[in-house]
Amino acid sequence: MAKKREIFYEPHPVSPERKAELIASGYKIRDAAYAPSGVVQAAKTEEFTPESIDTMKRADVIELLEAHGVEGATGKIGDLRNWLKRVMFV
């Protein structure tokens, strides 16, 4: 069964960079306008390196590619990881 991701309430519109950061940190993004009263959040952030991408799961790589504007990413996990590194580390 898939792990349920925590919701992060972020003011919209969300920049592609911020979206990628939140998704990679394991959050689902919702507009802050819909946050329950009293919700205060601080996102856990992660610095990405080519080495950290080499250990990412397929679903996380695809989500991060989508957050960077790549639609319909398919293929072998090694190819997807290399694609993500080319997108993130120009």
Side-chain angles (χ1 to χ4, degrees), residues 46-73:
E46 175 182 340
E47 281 295 319
F48 294 104
T49 64
E51 294 77 24
S52 69
I53 291 172
D54 287 335
T55 62
M56 291 176 76
K57 294 180 181 177
R58 177 185 188 83
D60 295 331
V61 172
I62 291 173
E63 278 187 289
L64 203 48
L65 280 166
E66 289 174 354
H68 279 86
V70 176
E71 295 183 22

Side-chain angles (χ1 to χ4, degrees), residues 20-31:
E21 178 183 334
L22 290 170
I23 289 172
S25 295
Y27 290 105
K28 278 185 166 181
I29 304 167
R30 297 291 180 257
D31 193 330

Side-chain angles (χ1 to χ4, degrees), residues 4-36:
K4 187 174 180 179
R5 294 184 298 164
E6 184 178 344
I7 295 174
F8 193 88
Y9 296 97
E10 181 78 4
H12 278 55
V14 180
S15 72
E17 295 82 14
R18 180 68 173 153
K19 182 178 178 181
E21 178 183 334
L22 290 170
I23 289 172
S25 295
Y27 290 105
K28 278 185 166 181
I29 304 167
R30 297 291 180 257
D31 193 330
Y34 301 106

